[in-house]
Amino acid sequence: MERFAWKGNIYHTNEERKIEIFENSWVLCEDGICKGVVKELPEEWKNAKATDFGDKIIIPGLCDLHVHAPQYTYRGTGMDLELLDWLEKYAFPEEASYSDLEYAEKAYSVFVRDLRRSATTRASIFASLHVLATEILMEKLEESGLKTFVGKVNMDRNSPDILRESTKDSAENTENWISESLDKFKNTKPIITPRFTPTCTDELMEKLGEIQKKYGTPVQSHLSENPSEIKWVSELCPDTDFYGEAYDKFGLFGGENRRCIMAHCVYSGEEEQALIKKRGVWIAHCPQSNMNVASGIAPVRQFLDNGLKVGLGSDVAGGSSLSIFRAMTDAVMCSKLRWRLVDSSLHQLSIEDAFYMATRGGGSFFGKVGAFEEEFEMDAVVIDDSALYTPKKLSPHDRFEKLCYLYTDAKIVAKCVSGKMINLN
Amino acid sequence: MERFAWKGNIYHTNEERKIEIFENSWVLCEDGICKGVVKELPEEWKNAKATDFGDKIIIPGLCDLHVHAPQYTYRGTGMDLELLDWLEKYAFPEEASYSDLEYAEKAYSVFVRDLRRSATTRASIFASLHVLATEILMEKLEESGLKTFVGKVNMDRNSPDILRESTKDSAENTENWISESLDKFKNTKPIITPRFTPTCTDELMEKLGEIQKKYGTPVQSHLSENPSEIKWVSELCPDTDFYGEAYDKFGLFGGENRRCIMAHCVYSGEEEQALIKKRGVWIAHCPQSNMNVASGIAPVRQFLDNGLKVGLGSDVAGGSSLSIFRAMTDAVMCSKLRWRLVDSSLHQLSIEDAFYMATRGGGSFFGKVGAFEEEFEMDAVVIDDSALYTPKKLSPHDRFEKLCYLYTDAKIVAKCVSGKMINLN
């Protein structure tokens, strides 16, 4: 039995999306599982490894529900186009480079290093369509100690020649890769990843649905991100009433034993939201990307009020920042603009809503993850925010809000995933 | 004659808002004035102090046209309200603390230290209404070597008792402070600062207009930031057709020998924009603040197309970040949302537009500032962006764009204002 205890100012959210703060308290971990938060170390824990982090802040690890690893190389560039043109001009040519394994090795080293050093402990990741490069990424992620899902991307139409598979190859390569990688790693698992409806034929989608059924693998894709994309999907799939159905008809839209993440949902209407809820699909809200590729602002307040499952995504390289702190504050800011410019009936998101989405909201995709409640997996990040010193006396709540907005001036000093320490160098 | 030359990858914008890039070139400085950019060091410069910064990036110092120094203490907190409530609940109580000079000393030390370490070389700053605290701020700024305007704020109505002067005191204190501080410092100058129309009676405005005329001091204030504020101003000033007239009728809205900055202009309509142009008023565009206090998005593309003068402002603590890099990318992002959600006839801003506003656009308020053209003042920042390494070969343009989005991972290694070195520790 491995036990440890960390002391500090502990923050997490409860199920009602309220922040709970435990000042100068201990969070307990036994065999990777959280045993709750206590003010004094219990007698039977006196022999556990105890670390007192003093005045530092301890939060659950953040969860990134949507990020494109091969796009990390050009994050922060190519900010002049909206989605479909952006894919053509920037995303597709760059992803094509991952047929070169030497390039993949270099690029994924940087991506995994930066993800490891960040406050993120869990992520659901798009790779490219290349199986070998995807395996390189998975190996590096496994080594990092982070817990992730990784998807070899599927594309068999509407993609440049250098980034398109035949339907047959795409399905076969996916099945082989899944069967081989399913039990290969402890922390890194495959996820079925049709890029989005425009790049996947019905035939391919059908085969991916069969693979999903056979292996029980989760699924991730994009949904209702951009008006032109949505129009295109409605033309490609005249038998559907809304975009979500284009996945659902192939069993690629959640449901029992079919965990599924759909990124964006900026324009998901009532019917689509109802299906998302019915199928238990997780929404990955990616506010920075939705600004950068000029998509719009998702009605996240509505999602939360209606009981939909929502996590946050950095969506690199639609998003330029890998930080989920940034996604938290972008979510709050965008919700204010949406209230002002689009629909004043939906109240702005609070930092509590954002913290909830970044931890429990996204964490639930990975299991009991995202809080310091008993029986949750012990993902924790310890943060030194002393560089944010101000002579004003801040409440614990304000101190946390400030950290979220100004996280780049703070320092992560320790991080664990399921109780295992992560190397921050 | 003091001469130095810096070598690196030099970026600035021209008058047409296009980025000009001089790779591996020298920028020359003589007695604080830029003598242009050259590929090879001329013979007559061989005795100048030459520093080769290798592959680093050299840009003109950034200009912050709108920032509230006393609010720096609570930046990144209190993000749950829109403008008028936010002023009541957060800004006014905090500003009231600056009657305590010990507090002012501590708080302004932190503000000036962080501004000094940032990429900002020039700023136009709101202090609080307290003359003594404002003088502390001015002394600290002078010591920093940055070139700034600082405003003792005027408020004689619609403010809490602890943050309101009598009309007479407000005017007299302002005149005394201006006459004393006008030639006291080399780099730090007073600027007349009626907070905004709702907190200044007509009588006070009239007196401030007289002081402006007598001393030729520039003016700064807020304009058309928020719908409730604008409605309030129209009620307070029934004799005006639009908000800008409430300043203009007192000679506090630009014109000859009346340099003036108006922050925000989110809702400035055609008439107001016409007067802004006629009077040569500088607009301080503060996108992060406009998101945080849910104001909206200013039509910056229209301002630029119509030839209005526009710079950027961090607007701490409406904005949480003091960085003008952040203001640059926020400006681009917000312009995309505006295009998508409000008015698709106004094209999104480019990173070039943003760089222009951050340097030449705001710089022109301070004189010939914001570019490495001959006879411009030599404000320069040298940046090591090696932590942003990517295996992808980036064009010089993309490298710069990436820096703007991810500046927090880069390091400022040297900075000068009018040729004088700034201490970055």
Side-chain angles (χ1 to χ4, degrees):
Chain A
M1 200 168 66
E2 267 186 57
R3 280 179 157 180
F4 70 85
W6 283 359
K7 188 176 185 185
N9 298 299
I10 298 168
Y11 291 72
H12 77 173
T13 53
N14 62 23
E15 278 185 350
E16 285 72 44
R17 301 198 305 267
K18 294 296 165 215
I19 299 187
E20 294 180 340
I21 305 174
F22 309 90
E23 292 184 88
N24 298 311
S25 297
W26 292 94
V27 57
L28 310 176
C29 175
E30 185 180 287
D31 291 336
I33 301 299
C34 181
K35 293 292 162 183
V37 176
V38 292
K39 198 72 195 169
E40 299 293 337
L41 212 53
E43 195 51 44
E44 65 271 28
W45 279 74
K46 297 282 180 195
N47 291 327
K49 191 176 170 201
T51 309
D52 184 348
F53 285 105
D55 192 42
K56 295 187 179 58
I57 286 176
I58 304 178
I59 59 169
L62 306 183
C63 300
D64 189 343
L65 281 197
H66 187 64
V67 53
H68 293 263
Q71 297 177 9
Y72 196 66
T73 44
Y74 73 92
R75 69 198 180 110
T77 73
M79 293 300 189
D80 55 334
L81 297 173
E82 63 166 312
L83 180 66
L84 298 177
D85 297 330
W86 180 90
L87 284 170
E88 284 272 321
K89 183 167 172 194
Y90 301 111
F92 291 165
E94 179 59 12
E95 289 193 20
S97 341
Y98 289 75
S99 61
D100 174 350
L101 297 188
E102 220 173 296
Y103 189 79
E105 171 72 33
K106 274 190 218 165
Y108 285 148
S109 295
V110 175
F111 170 75
V112 174
R113 179 200 67 192
D114 290 357
L115 193 67
R116 180 166 54 70
R117 290 174 177 172
S118 79
T120 299
T121 51
R122 312 249 169 176
S124 188
I125 302 170
F126 279 56
S128 65
L129 57 69
H130 313 92
V131 171
L132 295 178
T134 302
E135 287 171 345
I136 290 174
L137 175 60
M138 293 179 88
E139 277 159 23
K140 290 189 183 299
L141 284 164
E142 183 67 15
E143 216 174 294
S144 75
L146 305 179
K147 290 204 164 176
T148 60
F149 288 97
V150 177
K152 169 230 166 321
V153 170
N154 298 99
M155 310 168 72
D156 72 338
R157 68 171 170 186
N158 294 319
S159 328
D161 292 347
I162 44 164
L163 200 69
R164 193 175 62 238
E165 306 161 289
S166 71
T167 306
K168 188 167 168 287
D169 284 356
S170 188
E172 282 181 11
N173 290 343
T174 300
E175 180 159 8
N176 291 338
W177 163 71
I178 288 179
S179 64
E180 279 169 30
S181 62
L182 207 51
D183 299 312
K184 190 169 174 188
F185 302 114
K186 187 167 168 288
N187 300 318
T188 317
K189 299 292 176 186
I191 181 166
I192 294 173
T193 306
R195 180 171 212 114
F196 67 154
T197 299
T199 62
C200 300
T201 59
D202 280 11
E203 201 187 338
L204 177 56
M205 288 292 206
E206 198 174 335
K207 285 175 196 271
L208 294 177
E210 287 161 12
I211 297 171
Q212 195 290 320
K213 211 167 168 187
K214 184 165 168 190
Y215 296 91
T217 323
V219 175
Q220 63 182 351
S221 195
H222 298 91
L223 183 69
S224 299
E225 178 175 3
N226 167 295
S228 313
E229 170 215 22
I230 294 167
K231 188 163 168 285
W232 195 12
V233 171
S234 74
E235 288 159 12
L236 290 167
C237 308
D239 57 328
T240 57
D241 286 334
F242 52 88
Y243 194 164
E245 285 191 342
Y247 298 109
D248 193 54
K249 65 179 176 174
F250 301 109
L252 296 167
F253 201 70
E256 216 175 321
N257 297 319
R258 288 180 191 155
R259 261 186 301 174
C260 174
I261 297 168
M262 285 287 153
H264 306 304
C265 306
V266 175
Y267 297 98
S268 294
E270 263 182 51
E271 278 183 299
E272 191 159 274
Q273 286 189 43
L275 190 63
I276 288 171
K277 184 168 184 176
K278 189 172 170 193
R279 297 278 190 264
V281 169
W282 276 262
I283 294 170
H285 175 47
C286 307
Q288 200 189 28
S289 169
N290 297 159
M291 286 192 273
N292 280 335
V293 291
S295 300
I297 306 173
V300 180
R301 165 63 57 212
Q302 197 174 52
F303 299 160
L304 293 174
D305 286 352
N306 291 341
L308 275 58
K309 296 189 280 194
V310 193
L312 295 176
S314 65
D315 194 21
V316 161
S320 48
S321 169
L322 193 59
S323 172
I324 296 299
F325 279 125
R326 174 73 193 242
M328 286 168 64
T329 53
D330 282 338
V332 172
M333 286 191 227
C334 282
S335 75
K336 291 171 175 173
L337 288 180
R338 197 176 196 285
W339 169 82
R340 170 67 71 195
L341 304 173
V342 182
D343 179 0
S344 63
S345 76
L346 294 181
H347 198 267
Q348 67 173 65
L349 297 174
S350 67
I351 197 68
E352 312 212 0
D353 295 320
F355 189 32
Y356 173 89
M357 291 190 288
T359 52
R360 295 184 87 116
S364 60
F365 184 77
F366 299 88
K368 292 190 100 167
V369 169
F372 295 123
E373 286 179 14
E374 283 194 50
E375 303 315 318
F376 271 59
E377 293 189 55
M378 178 70 172
D379 287 14
V381 180
V382 184
I383 300 171
D384 177 353
D385 65 342
S386 56
L388 295 174
Y389 164 79
T390 168
K392 181 173 161 64
K393 196 166 162 39
L394 298 181
S395 69
H397 175 281
D398 287 354
R399 180 182 171 187
F400 177 73
E401 188 174 27
K402 185 171 188 177
L403 168 65
C404 296
Y405 280 88
L406 301 166
Y407 66 94
T408 54
D409 291 333
K411 193 172 163 8
I412 297 173
V413 297
K415 171 170 160 177
C416 69
V417 179
S418 293
K420 295 266 182 285
M421 297 309 134
I422 303 295
N423 171 16
L424 293 169
N425 294 323
Chain B
M1 201 168 63
E2 265 188 60
R3 278 180 159 182
F4 70 85
W6 283 359
K7 188 176 186 184
N9 298 298
I10 297 168
Y11 291 72
H12 76 172
T13 53
N14 62 23
E15 277 185 350
E16 284 72 45
R17 301 198 305 268
K18 295 296 164 214
I19 298 187
E20 294 180 340
I21 305 173
F22 310 91
E23 292 184 88
N24 297 311
S25 296
W26 292 95
V27 56
L28 310 176
C29 176
E30 185 179 287
D31 292 335
I33 302 298
C34 182
K35 293 292 162 184
V37 176
V38 292
K39 198 73 196 168
E40 299 293 338
L41 211 53
E43 196 50 44
E44 64 271 28
W45 280 74
K46 299 284 181 193
N47 291 326
K49 190 177 170 199
T51 308
D52 184 347
F53 286 105
D55 191 42
K56 295 186 179 57
I57 286 176
I58 304 178
I59 59 169
L62 306 183
C63 301
D64 189 343
L65 281 197
H66 187 64
V67 54
H68 294 263
Q71 297 177 8
Y72 195 66
T73 43
Y74 73 92
R75 70 198 179 110
T77 73
M79 293 300 190
D80 55 335
L81 296 172
E82 63 165 312
L83 181 65
L84 299 177
D85 297 330
W86 179 89
L87 285 170
E88 285 272 321
K89 182 166 173 194
Y90 300 112
F92 290 166
E94 179 59 12
E95 289 192 20
S97 342
Y98 289 77
S99 61
D100 173 350
L101 297 188
E102 220 173 296
Y103 189 78
E105 171 73 34
K106 274 191 218 164
Y108 284 149
S109 293
V110 175
F111 169 75
V112 174
R113 178 201 68 192
D114 289 358
L115 194 66
R116 179 166 55 71
R117 291 175 177 171
S118 78
T120 299
T121 52
R122 311 249 170 177
S124 189
I125 302 170
F126 279 55
S128 65
L129 56 69
H130 314 91
V131 171
L132 295 178
T134 302
E135 287 172 344
I136 290 175
L137 175 59
M138 292 179 88
E139 278 160 22
K140 290 189 182 297
L141 284 164
E142 182 67 14
E143 215 174 294
S144 75
L146 306 179
K147 290 203 163 175
T148 60
F149 288 98
V150 177
K152 171 231 166 318
V153 170
N154 298 100
M155 310 167 72
D156 72 338
R157 68 171 170 185
N158 295 319
S159 328
D161 291 347
I162 44 164
L163 200 68
R164 192 175 62 237
E165 306 161 289
S166 71
T167 307
K168 186 167 170 288
D169 284 354
S170 188
E172 282 181 10
N173 290 344
T174 301
E175 179 158 7
N176 291 339
W177 162 72
I178 287 178
S179 64
E180 279 169 29
S181 62
L182 207 51
D183 299 312
K184 189 170 175 189
F185 302 114
K186 187 167 169 285
N187 299 318
T188 317
K189 299 291 175 188
I191 182 166
I192 294 173
T193 306
R195 180 171 212 114
F196 68 154
T197 299
T199 62
C200 301
T201 59
D202 280 10
E203 201 187 338
L204 175 57
M205 288 291 205
E206 198 174 334
K207 287 175 193 271
L208 293 178
E210 286 162 13
I211 296 171
Q212 195 291 320
K213 211 167 168 187
K214 183 165 170 191
Y215 296 91
T217 322
V219 174
Q220 62 182 353
S221 195
H222 297 90
L223 184 68
S224 299
E225 178 176 1
N226 168 293
S228 313
E229 170 215 22
I230 294 167
K231 188 163 168 284
W232 194 12
V233 171
S234 75
E235 288 159 11
L236 290 166
C237 309
D239 57 328
T240 58
D241 286 333
F242 51 88
Y243 194 163
E245 285 190 342
Y247 299 109
D248 194 54
K249 65 179 176 172
F250 301 108
L252 295 168
F253 201 70
E256 216 174 322
N257 297 320
R258 289 180 190 155
R259 261 186 302 172
C260 174
I261 297 169
M262 285 287 153
H264 306 303
C265 306
V266 176
Y267 297 98
S268 294
E270 262 182 50
E271 277 183 299
E272 191 159 274
Q273 286 188 42
L275 190 63
I276 287 171
K277 183 168 184 177
K278 188 172 171 195
R279 298 277 191 262
V281 169
W282 276 263
I283 294 169
H285 175 47
C286 307
Q288 200 189 27
S289 168
N290 297 158
M291 287 191 273
N292 280 336
V293 291
S295 300
I297 307 174
V300 180
R301 164 63 57 211
Q302 197 175 52
F303 298 159
L304 293 173
D305 287 352
N306 290 342
L308 275 57
K309 296 189 278 194
V310 192
L312 295 176
S314 66
D315 193 22
V316 161
S320 48
S321 170
L322 193 59
S323 172
I324 295 299
F325 279 123
R326 174 73 194 242
M328 286 168 64
T329 54
D330 282 339
V332 173
M333 285 191 228
C334 282
S335 75
K336 291 171 177 173
L337 288 180
R338 198 176 195 285
W339 169 82
R340 170 67 73 195
L341 303 174
V342 181
D343 179 1
S344 63
S345 76
L346 293 181
H347 197 267
Q348 67 172 65
L349 298 174
S350 67
I351 197 67
E352 312 212 0
D353 295 320
F355 189 32
Y356 173 89
M357 291 190 287
T359 52
R360 294 183 87 117
S364 60
F365 183 77
F366 299 87
K368 293 190 100 168
V369 169
F372 295 123
E373 286 179 14
E374 283 193 50
E375 302 315 317
F376 271 58
E377 293 187 57
M378 179 69 173
D379 287 13
V381 180
V382 185
I383 299 171
D384 178 353
D385 66 342
S386 55
L388 294 174
Y389 164 79
T390 168
K392 181 172 160 66
K393 197 166 160 38
L394 297 181
S395 68
H397 175 281
D398 286 354
R399 180 182 171 188
F400 177 73
E401 189 175 26
K402 185 170 188 177
L403 169 65
C404 296
Y405 281 88
L406 301 166
Y407 67 93
T408 54
D409 292 332
K411 193 172 164 7
I412 297 173
V413 297
K415 171 170 161 178
C416 69
V417 179
S418 293
K420 294 268 182 283
M421 296 309 134
I422 303 295
N423 170 17
L424 293 169
N425 294 322

